[in-house]
Amino acid sequence: MNAIDMKNTLLSLLLLIGCIHCKAQEKPNIVLLFADDAGYADFGFQGSKEMKTPNLDKLAKQSLRFTQAYVTDPTCGPSRAGLMTGRYQQRFGFEENNVPGFMSPVSAKDGPAMGLPVNETTIADYLKKRGYSTAFYGKWHLGGEDKFHPMKRGFDEFYGFRGGARDYFPYEKEPKEKLNKLEKGFGNFEEHNGYLTDELAKEALAFIDRSHKKGTPFFAFLSFNAVHTPMDATKEDLEQFPNLEGNRKIVAAMTLALDRAAGKIIDRLEELGIAENTLVVFTNDNGGPTDKNASINLPLSGTKSNYLEGGIRVPFLMKWPGKIKPNSTYDKPISTMDLLPTFYAAAGGNANELKNIDGVDLLPFLTGKSQKVPHETLFWKKDARGTIRKGNWKLLRFPDRPAKLFNIEEDPKELNDLAAQRPEIVKALYKELFQWESSLLRPRWLLRKSFEKDDIDRMDAYWPLQSN
């Protein structure tokens, strides 16, 4: 090869490398802002006159707002498991929160080891394959043992806590629940300075800066513990709500901090000039608990932990400049388990190639390429309680009383039970719900201090013993 040929070959290689780098830059950054236990009505963009959420209200005007967005469960851990895998979490037995007091009946080897099964592929796993830097901040709640750690589940960086609820201010002594200690990376436990909601945003900002400097697309998952109990707020934030009292005043202050943290992330994207190439989602893990933190889910009935709309329908915003119409709404049912295939498709992947997921890529529906409904049917289940929504019909099955039937389109507040009037619909939905349940793995853990052999035998009869 002569000198000219070598020069041309080198030039071609440099151009090829440049094109690869260029294509990598074309992939959108992805930011997921995830609240905890927030009330459906507790944001300005959702109609609240009490809460102060200027940053999220601004984001709402730049976003598409979903009016019928659902979670896969009305409690923290299972909801996160569904989002993280794009699957109904009951398919791998993650049916209850993994908290002290719950134990596994499946086998002796499982013992108290409760978490997202290690053979489940996470949203971070998929995005890493697409060349993304990935980071998780805040509340994990998907398993406390080392094998369940975020940095072993597809995330490059972690700053937060493995458990389900912790103080917002630094612990002055060892907390009762060890999983709620603050951790940076893997095994580096050290308490923060200041207020945790602000600190999570600070760490995420540093990750965004580093990723931008490297020129790599990034996925930042900010899993705020706000506004979950304990009811902790700063004096300065509390002073912004002189007309409120008790927990309502505190949750308003906590929401203000959440909004401030989200605003810092959104502003940094603008400052770095990457907002136009960043997909931003804001949503919540389940309905607000109207007792513990005085959340408001109106006009919906229900609360955290039940299957009325107030327990499973959540605020949901999605912004992607040039791809999704801003200041618009989408009124068909969607689910947080749709985030995995949607993010994967946004990252240049083919969502149709994803195996064993229940979520769908929302982009064809949001851009008008598909006029179909993302989900004709959605399911929820915990123990003997089960719920199915098919079209506008929603059936709630209880273990101790007759089922209820509602037409969600005509009666979103679920005030008019039509079960007695439409027995044929009740029967059909009961059958479909049971068929779905028969495909599930039995729960990996239940709230029991001990298990007798007869208990295990009865569970074996209902849920076939499967290895997962």
Side-chain angles (χ1 to χ4, degrees):
M1 183 180 292
N2 58 38
I4 295 176
D5 290 337
M6 289 182 65
K7 183 178 179 180
N8 289 336
T9 300
L10 180 61
L11 180 61
S12 298
L13 286 172
L14 290 173
L15 288 172
L16 177 61
I17 293 171
C19 287
I20 292 172
H21 182 70
C22 179
K23 288 182 179 179
Q25 297 309 294
E26 291 175 358
K27 294 178 182 178
N29 306 303
I30 301 173
V31 175
L32 175 54
L33 305 170
F34 201 57
D36 189 358
D37 276 11
Y40 185 75
D42 282 342
F43 300 95
F45 67 87
Q46 291 288 95
S48 177
K49 303 300 182 183
E50 293 180 330
M51 300 295 177
K52 296 180 180 180
T53 54
N55 294 296
L56 290 172
D57 295 347
K58 179 181 177 181
L59 177 64
K61 292 179 180 179
Q62 301 169 340
S63 303
L64 183 149
R65 182 172 67 88
F66 295 84
T67 63
Q68 295 194 69
Y70 290 97
V71 290
T72 59
D73 192 82
T75 56
C76 304
S79 173
R80 283 167 167 74
L83 183 158
M84 194 67 72
T85 61
R87 306 179 68 199
Y88 287 112
Q89 65 279 356
Q90 296 93 342
R91 294 201 186 281
F92 45 87
F94 200 129
E95 193 165 299
E96 270 285 5
N97 273 325
N98 53 323
V99 295
F102 285 74
M103 295 190 68
S104 171
V106 176
S107 71
K109 65 179 178 64
D110 284 345
M114 300 177 290
L116 185 66
V118 295
N119 57 342
E120 290 296 323
T121 306
T122 72
I123 193 169
D125 290 325
Y126 282 114
L127 289 176
K128 276 183 70 68
K129 293 177 182 177
R130 304 298 307 166
Y132 279 68
S133 297
T134 59
F136 188 95
Y137 300 96
K139 171 176 170 175
W140 179 241
H141 210 199
L142 291 172
E145 291 198 352
D146 287 350
K147 65 181 180 180
F148 299 129
H149 192 277
M151 292 179 67
K152 295 189 176 182
R153 309 313 303 272
F155 290 98
D156 299 319
E157 299 187 20
F158 172 63
Y159 181 79
F161 58 101
R162 304 186 193 188
R166 61 152 287 148
D167 290 359
Y168 291 75
F169 297 104
Y171 287 123
E172 295 181 359
K173 59 182 181 179
E174 188 84 355
K176 181 180 179 181
E177 178 50 65
K178 301 295 190 294
L179 297 183
N180 292 329
K181 294 192 298 183
L182 198 63
E183 182 179 15
K184 187 170 186 176
F186 184 84
N188 302 311
F189 296 96
E190 183 178 349
E191 286 299 297
H192 59 299
N193 295 311
Y195 189 70
L196 185 56
T197 304
D198 293 320
E199 294 302 310
L200 295 176
K202 185 185 300 183
E203 291 289 333
L205 289 173
F207 167 73
I208 290 172
D209 289 345
R210 289 194 302 272
S211 299
H212 176 62
K213 188 175 182 179
K214 290 189 298 183
T216 58
F218 61 82
F219 171 48
F221 190 157
L222 278 86
S223 179
F224 294 105
N225 53 320
V227 292
H228 196 292
T229 54
M231 303 304 289
D232 284 344
T234 67
K235 180 176 180 292
E236 294 76 14
D237 288 339
L238 287 167
E239 289 173 349
Q240 299 298 311
F241 302 92
N243 297 324
L244 298 179
E245 298 178 348
N247 280 348
R248 190 63 184 162
K249 182 186 185 84
I250 301 173
V251 78
M254 295 167 74
T255 303
L256 179 62
L258 169 68
D259 180 81
R260 178 173 62 244
K264 289 179 180 178
I265 302 300
I266 296 166
D267 288 347
R268 182 59 57 86
L269 299 175
E270 293 283 354
E271 292 166 5
L272 295 175
I274 56 177
E276 294 300 304
N277 192 37
T278 302
L279 171 58
V280 178
V281 170
F282 171 79
T283 188
N284 187 37
D285 65 343
N286 46 248
T290 54
D291 52 353
K292 293 181 179 180
N293 72 359
S295 295
I296 292 178
N297 298 318
L298 297 175
L300 307 175
S301 297
T303 182
K304 175 181 179 177
S305 299
N306 68 44
Y307 295 133
L308 293 169
E309 293 292 288
I312 57 176
R313 193 188 292 199
V314 292
F316 198 119
L317 304 174
M318 183 179 289
K319 174 192 174 186
W320 193 5
K323 302 289 185 178
I324 297 174
K325 185 178 179 181
N327 200 24
S328 59
T329 58
Y330 187 79
D331 299 324
K332 297 180 177 66
I334 62 125
S335 171
T336 49
M337 64 182 172
D338 298 331
L339 288 174
L340 186 152
T342 302
F343 289 172
Y344 186 76
N350 183 351
N352 293 324
E353 296 176 355
L354 297 175
K355 306 299 182 184
N356 279 333
I357 66 166
D358 297 297
V360 300
D361 172 17
L362 294 174
L363 297 177
F365 305 96
L366 307 183
T367 58
K369 291 182 179 179
S370 175
Q371 300 301 316
K372 296 181 180 179
V373 179
H375 295 279
E376 179 63 27
T377 308
L378 288 168
F379 300 97
W380 296 266
K381 176 195 175 296
K382 185 170 293 180
D383 297 328
R385 291 183 296 151
T387 296
I388 175 174
R389 174 170 175 175
K390 189 176 182 65
N392 291 326
W393 291 106
K394 180 181 174 184
L395 175 84
L396 290 87
R397 185 195 67 199
F398 307 96
D400 57 352
R401 58 191 184 278
K404 293 182 179 294
L405 178 69
F406 300 103
N407 186 309
I408 298 301
E409 178 72 19
E410 299 174 359
D411 181 26
K413 297 180 181 180
E414 296 170 292
L415 301 177
N416 185 22
D417 179 13
L418 301 174
Q421 297 173 236
R422 302 299 302 269
E424 76 286 359
I425 294 178
V426 171
K427 182 179 179 180
L429 294 182
Y430 243 105
K431 182 178 180 180
E432 189 166 348
L433 177 59
F434 182 79
Q435 288 175 336
W436 174 73
E437 287 178 308
S438 68
S439 70
L440 307 177
L441 183 68
R442 72 182 185 187
R444 288 176 175 268
W445 55 85
L446 298 171
L447 183 54
R448 297 193 184 175
K449 297 298 182 184
S450 62
F451 295 92
E452 300 294 337
K453 184 178 183 303
D454 288 346
D455 294 327
I456 306 261
D457 289 343
R458 281 193 292 272
M459 285 187 287
D460 281 341
Y462 192 75
W463 291 286
L465 182 58
Q466 300 174 42
S467 175
N468 195 315

